[in-house]
Amino acid sequence: MTSDTKVLLDHGSGGKIAHSMISEMIVPLFDNPFLSKQDDGALIDFKGTRIAFSTDSYVVDPIFFPGGNIGDLAVNGTVNDLAMCGAHPLYISSALILEEGFPMDDLEKILETMSCAAKRAGVFIVTGDTKVVPRGKADKIFINTSGIGMVPRGVKLSGSNALPGDKIILSGTMADHGIAVLTAREGLGISLDIMSDSVPLNKMVKSLLGTLPRDSVHVLRDPTRGGIGTTLNEIASQSGVTIRIKENDIPMRDSVKSTCELLGFDPLYIANEGKMVAVVAPEAAHEALAIIRREEYGKDAAIIGEVAERVGAEPSAFSRPGYVVMETIIGGSRIVDMLTGEQLPRIC
Amino acid sequence: MTSDTKVLLDHGSGGKIAHSMISEMIVPLFDNPFLSKQDDGALIDFKGTRIAFSTDSYVVDPIFFPGGNIGDLAVNGTVNDLAMCGAHPLYISSALILEEGFPMDDLEKILETMSCAAKRAGVFIVTGDTKVVPRGKADKIFINTSGIGMVPRGVKLSGSNALPGDKIILSGTMADHGIAVLTAREGLGISLDIMSDSVPLNKMVKSLLGTLPRDSVHVLRDPTRGGIGTTLNEIASQSGVTIRIKENDIPMRDSVKSTCELLGFDPLYIANEGKMVAVVAPEAAHEALAIIRREEYGKDAAIIGEVAERVGAEPSAFSRPGYVVMETIIGGSRIVDMLTGEQLPRIC
């Protein structure tokens, strides 16, 4: 049981405190083999047909931001969670919690965006729910999307499948979504044309898994809340390996980089909403990179590191179970821990 | 497009205004054959296996009430929506939106209740999400549950299947949940031991569909938000029939009845969370009633009315398309319209 007596913003961060609440409180209570895997969605066998099932609520503030709004974020987010399980996303639910007085025009705009996002991703929004709470009891609009996808035969992805020697591919520039939302929220007067990267990744995943030998792709994850740093830590921890990345190889827009420097944010922990981390067998890594780069949303993809070693019983300072080590631009080494605390609440 | 420029509490009522928003704005935007059926969940064919998929968010106030809390409400609600599609509920997701500062003890109590409710219904909570918003940006805790169930071969239920002559069965007393929540919320000082009826109905549905000839059960619905009155109107409207019910035959606890009289509420529009409306072929109605009454949560079941006639092109005052007519205790006839406005916001 967590030692906090009240829920903190950190519990929703996707970082360390959120993980400890999930693994110490939620997983034991809901104990079952599906949940305890702690991947982006659950894999369920339905009479020989494997389906992936995932859910996410969206509470982003502000609800409209450069490059998108809460509507496409909600659709793309669940589409991507399913895709990261290796599934073809097919059906999505949409459950709205609205604050009394919310402008009907904004609602229509958001629903139109959801409809477009669903078409773009090739999924149907098949069921829904609408609740309204009195003024002041919610902040404008919260959206939950849950989704179902079909997992092709032979696809077997999990955060626990990373193997020593595997290459780590990031499908594009880091930290765009978080910085776009932040600048919109705080009215910082920074106008750097930083746009959210909210896009569906299912086509990219389909190309990757459909072209490469099935057993060469080991892990797929979308580094949303908690950023690349937290996602790599999850993989390292689930697989019991050390991951080494090179700061210099991580793609990042100059405008995002300078905004992070200006505001003191570490981009490794900033949310992405249209990026994928792929852990791929070394012999397939260059083909994987080429496939991703041919995709509309993968032009800036890069190999950013590799899985170093499986961690034994006698961990040393730089090879403790589940560690991520980054070779910095200036040549040193730094341990990249899971996000502690919350840099940016309500980023998705 | 609805003529309101702002979202009203009524848009979340499950009644007339909510229906017009759904049918005029949401269904056209998300246009697809699954959604347009407007049943409690979507039916999806997965390579010959039919699954039902449903979602609901819970925003009940207060979160703890006599007979339950938001946790079992959230599990039972989605279990029941799936059961009303004729499905065996199997897998549930749980997405929490928490207000910063929410007591961890309360969260644990709610999660324990969810875990117990899932066990009681025989479903697994397989995937989840936790978001936290700053103090004042949400009211304590909101829970979304989505669910997947398997629909047995041959089962074909829909609100549009009611046929003239069919009998209407209600599985127990009306309005318990709404009145229990209301008395808890308002601190009315009424202590009548009115408890919420929040229970899972999947076992009852399984007994019913497993025993009766498959084609004799035409519609199942759980009359939650909007109550029996709204549910019967939905069925009447979807099937294009007139439904006649007898006030005297509708089971209701004396304490609930007197509370409704005292406060001026019409119990026909008060939410139930463990009741089922079954529309059954006349020749099977008495066996259906016997089956339901043998179930733990069906002891007070009764036949409350019947489907009168399919409505033709020339509707009269009492037989307009989709009308519900009630023979009152004093012998008159009253049209029971769909709920207009919202008697009790945040009842589920």
Side-chain angles (χ1 to χ4, degrees):
Chain A
M1 175 57 207
T2 160
S3 60
D4 301 303
T5 61
K6 287 182 186 300
V7 171
L8 311 172
L9 283 173
D10 297 348
H11 285 112
S13 66
K16 206 176 243 185
I17 296 180
H19 274 83
S20 87
M21 182 171 77
I22 291 167
S23 58
E24 289 166 30
M25 185 156 91
I26 297 181
V27 171
L29 270 173
F30 292 172
D31 181 40
N32 67 66
F34 305 95
L35 193 67
S36 49
K37 279 195 169 259
Q38 298 195 38
D39 284 319
D40 281 340
L43 285 188
I44 297 163
D45 199 301
F46 254 96
K47 295 187 168 180
T49 303
R50 281 190 310 156
I51 69 171
F53 179 32
S54 184
T55 190
D56 254 324
S57 293
Y58 296 84
V59 299
V60 65
D61 170 39
I63 53 175
F64 296 96
F65 46 80
N69 68 48
I70 190 171
D72 58 310
L73 197 66
V75 173
N76 291 334
T78 289
V79 162
N80 291 346
D81 279 345
L82 293 171
M84 296 306 124
C85 300
H88 301 319
L90 296 170
Y91 305 105
I92 298 278
S93 64
S94 151
L96 312 174
I97 298 175
L98 303 171
E99 184 185 10
E100 181 190 10
F102 186 67
M104 202 54 92
D105 281 356
D106 285 350
L107 178 59
E108 204 172 5
K109 230 175 282 171
I110 289 165
L111 293 172
E112 276 167 8
T113 310
M114 291 183 79
S115 171
C116 291
K119 285 198 184 91
R120 179 157 67 151
V123 298
F124 291 119
I125 299 175
V126 295
T127 190
D129 176 51
T130 306
K131 294 290 190 310
V132 182
V133 297
R135 230 175 261 270
K137 299 298 183 185
D139 192 10
K140 301 181 191 76
I141 178 171
F142 301 146
I143 302 179
N144 176 280
T145 50
S146 301
I148 300 178
M150 196 158 55
V151 184
R153 206 171 292 274
V155 169
K156 194 169 165 288
L157 301 171
S158 170
S160 55
N161 290 353
L163 294 175
D166 284 354
K167 299 293 179 188
I168 315 282
I169 301 173
L170 179 63
S171 68
T173 54
M174 152 170 85
D176 297 348
H177 174 74
I179 296 300
V181 170
L182 175 80
T183 53
R185 183 194 304 169
E186 307 294 343
L188 287 177
I190 306 175
S191 170
L192 295 161
D193 299 330
I194 299 172
M195 311 270 277
S196 167
D197 57 351
S198 173
V199 293
L201 296 171
N202 50 329
K203 199 172 151 284
M204 181 187 290
V205 171
K206 197 178 175 186
S207 300
L208 196 67
L209 298 180
T211 313
L212 290 179
R214 284 273 157 89
D215 58 357
S216 59
V217 182
H218 298 161
V219 186
L220 297 180
R221 275 285 163 88
D222 57 336
T224 56
R225 272 184 299 174
I228 313 277
T230 300
T231 293
L232 292 178
N233 268 280
E234 288 169 358
I235 297 169
S237 155
Q238 283 182 260
S239 296
V241 295
T242 298
I243 288 176
R244 293 180 181 274
I245 56 174
K246 288 189 179 171
E247 186 171 15
N248 213 21
D249 292 344
I250 306 175
M252 184 161 39
R253 287 180 209 287
D254 288 340
S255 55
V256 171
K257 195 172 182 175
S258 57
T259 307
C260 282
E261 281 166 3
L262 186 70
L263 300 173
F265 286 121
D266 186 340
L268 283 173
Y269 299 117
I270 302 283
N272 311 273
E273 290 290 342
K275 296 294 152 44
M276 173 175 86
V277 168
V279 181
V280 180
E283 64 278 11
H286 286 280
E287 194 184 347
L289 183 64
I291 294 166
I292 294 172
R293 282 188 174 161
R294 277 197 298 273
E295 291 291 319
E296 184 179 358
Y297 305 126
K299 299 194 194 316
D300 299 318
I303 294 176
I304 64 166
E306 60 179 26
V307 179
E309 64 270 359
R310 189 167 298 284
V311 183
E314 301 276 346
S316 72
F318 282 103
S319 66
R320 289 194 289 165
Y323 255 56
V324 178
V325 183
M326 183 167 78
E327 185 180 305
T328 63
I329 289 174
I330 54 165
S333 273
R334 167 193 153 196
I335 289 185
V336 177
D337 203 352
M338 194 170 272
L339 175 65
T340 316
E342 172 63 292
Q343 286 196 118
L344 290 172
R346 297 186 65 189
I347 211 68
C348 64
Chain B
M1 175 57 207
T2 160
S3 59
D4 301 302
T5 61
K6 288 184 184 299
V7 170
L8 311 172
L9 283 173
D10 298 349
H11 285 112
S13 66
K16 206 176 245 185
I17 296 180
H19 274 81
S20 86
M21 181 171 77
I22 291 167
S23 57
E24 289 166 29
M25 184 156 92
I26 297 181
V27 171
L29 270 174
F30 292 172
D31 181 40
N32 66 65
F34 305 96
L35 193 66
S36 49
K37 281 197 166 252
Q38 299 195 37
D39 284 319
D40 281 339
L43 285 187
I44 297 164
D45 199 300
F46 253 96
K47 296 187 167 179
T49 303
R50 282 191 309 156
I51 69 170
F53 180 32
S54 185
T55 190
D56 255 324
S57 293
Y58 296 84
V59 298
V60 65
D61 170 39
I63 54 176
F64 295 96
F65 46 80
N69 68 47
I70 191 172
D72 58 310
L73 197 64
V75 172
N76 291 333
T78 288
V79 162
N80 291 346
D81 279 345
L82 293 171
M84 297 306 125
C85 300
H88 301 319
L90 295 171
Y91 305 104
I92 299 279
S93 64
S94 151
L96 312 174
I97 297 175
L98 303 171
E99 183 185 11
E100 181 191 9
F102 186 67
M104 203 55 94
D105 282 355
D106 285 351
L107 178 59
E108 204 172 7
K109 228 176 282 170
I110 289 165
L111 293 173
E112 276 168 7
T113 309
M114 291 183 79
S115 171
C116 291
K119 286 199 184 91
R120 180 158 65 150
V123 298
F124 291 117
I125 299 174
V126 295
T127 190
D129 177 49
T130 306
K131 293 289 189 311
V132 182
V133 297
R135 229 174 262 270
K137 299 297 183 186
D139 193 10
K140 300 180 192 78
I141 178 172
F142 301 146
I143 303 179
N144 176 280
T145 50
S146 301
I148 299 178
M150 195 159 54
V151 185
R153 206 171 291 275
V155 168
K156 194 170 164 288
L157 301 171
S158 170
S160 56
N161 290 353
L163 293 175
D166 284 354
K167 299 294 180 189
I168 314 283
I169 300 173
L170 178 63
S171 68
T173 54
M174 153 171 83
D176 296 347
H177 174 73
I179 296 301
V181 171
L182 175 80
T183 53
R185 183 194 303 169
E186 307 294 343
L188 286 175
I190 305 173
S191 170
L192 294 160
D193 298 330
I194 300 172
M195 309 270 276
S196 166
D197 57 352
S198 173
V199 293
L201 296 170
N202 50 330
K203 196 169 155 284
M204 182 188 288
V205 171
K206 196 175 175 186
S207 300
L208 196 66
L209 298 179
T211 313
L212 291 179
R214 284 271 157 92
D215 58 358
S216 59
V217 181
H218 299 159
V219 186
L220 297 178
R221 275 285 164 88
D222 56 336
T224 55
R225 273 184 298 174
I228 312 278
T230 300
T231 294
L232 292 177
N233 268 279
E234 288 169 357
I235 297 169
S237 157
Q238 283 182 260
S239 296
V241 295
T242 298
I243 288 175
R244 292 179 182 275
I245 56 172
K246 289 189 178 170
E247 186 171 13
N248 212 22
D249 292 344
I250 306 176
M252 184 162 37
R253 288 180 209 285
D254 288 340
S255 54
V256 171
K257 196 171 182 176
S258 57
T259 307
C260 282
E261 281 167 3
L262 186 70
L263 301 172
F265 285 120
D266 186 340
L268 282 173
Y269 299 116
I270 301 283
N272 311 274
E273 290 290 344
K275 297 295 151 46
M276 173 174 85
V277 168
V279 180
V280 179
E283 64 277 10
H286 286 281
E287 194 184 348
L289 184 65
I291 293 166
I292 293 172
R293 282 189 174 160
R294 277 198 298 271
E295 290 291 319
E296 184 179 359
Y297 305 125
K299 300 196 193 316
D300 300 318
I303 294 176
I304 63 166
E306 60 179 26
V307 178
E309 64 271 358
R310 190 168 297 286
V311 182
E314 302 275 348
S316 72
F318 281 104
S319 67
R320 289 193 291 165
Y323 255 55
V324 178
V325 184
M326 183 167 77
E327 187 180 303
T328 63
I329 288 173
I330 55 165
S333 273
R334 167 194 154 195
I335 289 185
V336 177
D337 203 351
M338 194 170 272
L339 175 65
T340 315
E342 173 62 293
Q343 288 195 117
L344 291 173
R346 297 187 65 189
I347 211 68
C348 63

